[in-house]
Amino acid sequence: MSLAVRQTSAAASLSASLCHSQNESVERASAIPAASSAAWRRHSGLRMVSTAGDERVAAARRPARRSRSHKPRATVSTASEQAAPAAAALRPLRVMISGAPASGKGTQCELIVQKYGLTHISAGDLLRAEVAAGTEGGRQAKAHMDAGRLVPDEVVVTIVKNRLAQPDAQSKGWLLDGYPRSLSQAHALLALDITPDVFILLDVPQDILVERVVGRRLDPATNRIYHLAFAPPETDEIAARLTQRSDDTEEKVKARLETHNANVASVLDIYASKLVQVNGHRSKDEVFGEIDSLLTRLQQGEVSFD
């Protein structure tokens, strides 16, 4: 037999052998019980593929691809989104503050308004504004002022009530500066259901108050207030033109303090449950630090005087 014939015969035999082996593998796969088919497929590296309802065996030449685990995407909140719940929880503050002349009340009011955006309401400023605007309340107040009489409580209370009802005071909260000053004024506000969240009293010893007032001087050129001991003028030229208010003498200051103390004592009885006394005989930053801490906790609901 020639070499070409022998090679052709051998190839035919090899092909027949491969086909016979494949057929045997298929027959063995068909004969495997259902319970052990999965184990057999893992062992042989074959997997069942369903086509038109029939199953056939296909060689898996590569491992099945792992399915990716889909983890939920992390959500990153913006600063404004994170602050929104806290801002929503904050509510407008209602603050009354009282202090004797030279107690630093005006300075603390400025710092409070700057930090918390409250509507600053001073009865004296309101009266002057109403008079200047010629409103009904202003005309009533002017008539008493021109006659040298005190403006009646009902006139002042009405003006204060109307101001507190304005949208800015309702939405931003309010800071009632130095009012009420008497028991009758406090009762009038209570009758109108006007109550504060807190009543802050700046407490300064009387001898310190007298020293602060007597040493005050005004620069008429700039309307700046100096103090001979605590805030002296920068130059001799400024010092030479400073003036002193006529009621800033020791005798008159003591008389004003006595009147103030008597009026405040009666008011404090009304607001005793909401009263917080703050030591005003410190630097303005130290005083405000205590007030700031109090108002922050009050606004966030950490403390309450209800």
Side-chain angles (χ1 to χ4, degrees):
M1 183 180 296
S2 67
L3 178 60
V5 173
R6 287 199 300 272
Q7 288 176 342
T8 302
S9 177
S13 298
L14 177 60
S15 175
S17 175
L18 288 173
C19 289
H20 179 71
S21 298
Q22 247 182 357
N23 291 336
E24 285 183 346
S25 297
V26 172
E27 290 173 357
R28 286 197 301 271
S30 301
I32 293 174
S36 60
S37 61
W40 181 83
R41 285 196 303 271
R42 288 194 301 270
H43 176 72
S44 63
L46 300 178
R47 59 180 176 177
M48 302 298 292
V49 180
S50 174
T51 305
D54 297 327
E55 290 186 346
R56 65 184 178 81
V57 179
R61 298 188 179 278
R62 63 184 179 211
R65 180 180 298 176
R66 293 182 179 179
S67 61
R68 294 181 179 179
S69 59
H70 296 283
K71 297 181 179 180
R73 180 179 297 177
T75 302
V76 179
S77 301
T78 64
S80 59
E81 290 172 339
Q82 293 172 348
L90 301 180
R91 60 183 179 81
L93 289 172
R94 301 166 300 175
V95 181
M96 290 180 178
I97 186 169
S98 179
S103 64
K105 178 169 60 67
T107 298
Q108 294 306 316
C109 284
E110 292 177 1
L111 295 174
I112 292 171
V113 170
Q114 181 180 353
K115 172 69 180 287
Y116 294 92
L118 305 182
T119 301
H120 183 204
I121 299 173
S122 165
D125 292 343
L126 281 181
L127 281 175
R128 287 185 285 273
E130 293 287 315
V131 170
T135 64
E136 177 61 26
R139 288 193 295 270
Q140 294 179 19
K142 187 175 186 304
H144 292 282
M145 294 165 65
D146 289 346
R149 299 188 300 266
L150 292 176
V151 180
D153 287 342
E154 57 268 23
V155 175
V156 182
V157 169
T158 299
I159 292 175
V160 170
K161 178 196 71 172
N162 293 338
R163 184 64 186 90
L164 291 173
Q166 293 299 311
D168 60 341
Q170 292 293 309
S171 61
K172 297 190 300 183
W174 45 261
L175 173 64
L176 198 48
D177 178 1
Y179 193 87
R181 296 181 179 179
S182 66
L183 183 61
S184 59
Q185 293 172 352
H187 279 304
L189 292 180
L190 287 176
L192 295 171
D193 198 27
I194 298 174
T195 58
D197 296 316
V198 63
F199 189 104
I200 299 173
L201 175 64
L202 296 178
D203 186 19
V204 181
Q206 180 160 316
D207 59 329
I208 300 299
L209 293 173
V210 171
E211 181 182 8
R212 289 180 179 180
V213 173
V214 172
R216 285 193 306 201
R217 296 293 186 273
L218 171 68
D219 181 358
T222 62
N223 287 326
R224 179 177 174 181
I225 300 295
Y226 290 91
H227 193 281
L228 298 181
F230 307 133
E234 296 86 353
T235 65
D236 292 338
E237 180 184 356
I238 297 176
R241 65 174 183 247
L242 295 182
T243 62
Q244 183 182 28
R245 285 176 45 176
S246 59
D247 58 349
D248 277 354
T249 63
E250 182 172 350
E251 180 181 357
K252 291 184 178 180
V253 169
K254 288 182 177 179
R256 285 160 55 196
L257 290 176
E258 288 180 5
T259 301
H260 168 81
N261 293 339
N263 290 336
V264 168
S266 61
V267 171
L268 296 185
D269 289 338
I270 299 295
Y271 301 108
S273 62
K274 300 177 181 292
L275 175 64
V276 174
Q277 296 191 51
V278 176
N279 178 10
H281 186 31
R282 295 175 292 175
S283 71
K284 67 177 183 180
D285 293 333
E286 290 176 308
V287 174
F288 180 68
E290 183 175 343
I291 294 175
D292 183 26
S293 175
L294 168 66
L295 296 184
T296 297
R297 290 184 289 122
L298 188 64
Q299 190 175 51
Q300 295 176 349
E302 297 178 9
V303 295
S304 174
F305 298 96
D306 295 332

